[in-house]
Amino acid sequence: MSFFISDAVASAGQAAPEASFMSILPMLVIFILIFYFMILRPQQKRTKEHRKLMESIGKGDEVLTTGGLIGRVVKVSDNGYIVVALNETTEVTIKRDFVAAVLPKGTMKAI
């Protein structure tokens, strides 16, 4: 008849065993390490590479912006803005942080 009544209900007078902190600690450490190596570290590497890219932008570079514009850098200012020439007559001033990639020379002519 014990298969109709679960052991937890049948032993209502006994307290359930509690997990100690020392048994939870290794699982917590493993979770933190997985979180660090899967999420935080790759994000820090991407941020570092993007910052390095922003510092390397110079006059004459062909860039792709996050908005999808492709142009040639005409002027780089010290306050964090650059002037990008989209064609012979159109120039756009954008914040340096919005450059997604520096393209190889000749990309604009190939398109």
Side-chain angles (χ1 to χ4, degrees), residues 22-100:
M22 292 308 246
S23 65
I24 296 175
L25 185 64
M27 186 172 55
L28 184 64
V29 169
I30 290 171
F31 178 73
I32 289 172
L33 287 174
I34 289 172
F35 182 77
Y36 176 75
F37 285 109
M38 298 284 290
I39 297 173
L40 291 178
R41 191 161 183 244
Q43 180 62 33
Q44 289 172 346
K45 287 176 80 174
R46 279 192 296 268
T47 303
K48 185 178 179 182
E49 290 173 3
H50 190 258
R51 189 175 302 123
K52 189 176 174 183
L53 174 73
M54 295 302 104
E55 293 170 357
S56 71
I57 294 174
K59 185 177 178 181
D61 288 342
E62 294 182 8
V63 295
L64 170 69
T65 67
T66 54
L69 299 175
I70 296 176
R72 182 172 286 111
V73 177
V74 177
K75 179 182 173 188
V76 179
S77 62
D78 294 335
N79 60 1
Y81 289 91
I82 60 175
V83 178
V84 178
L86 303 177
N87 56 25
E88 292 80 24
T89 59
T90 308
E91 291 183 350
V92 178
T93 303
I94 62 168
K95 188 126 176 91
R96 187 183 279 213
D97 298 335
F98 292 104
V99 172

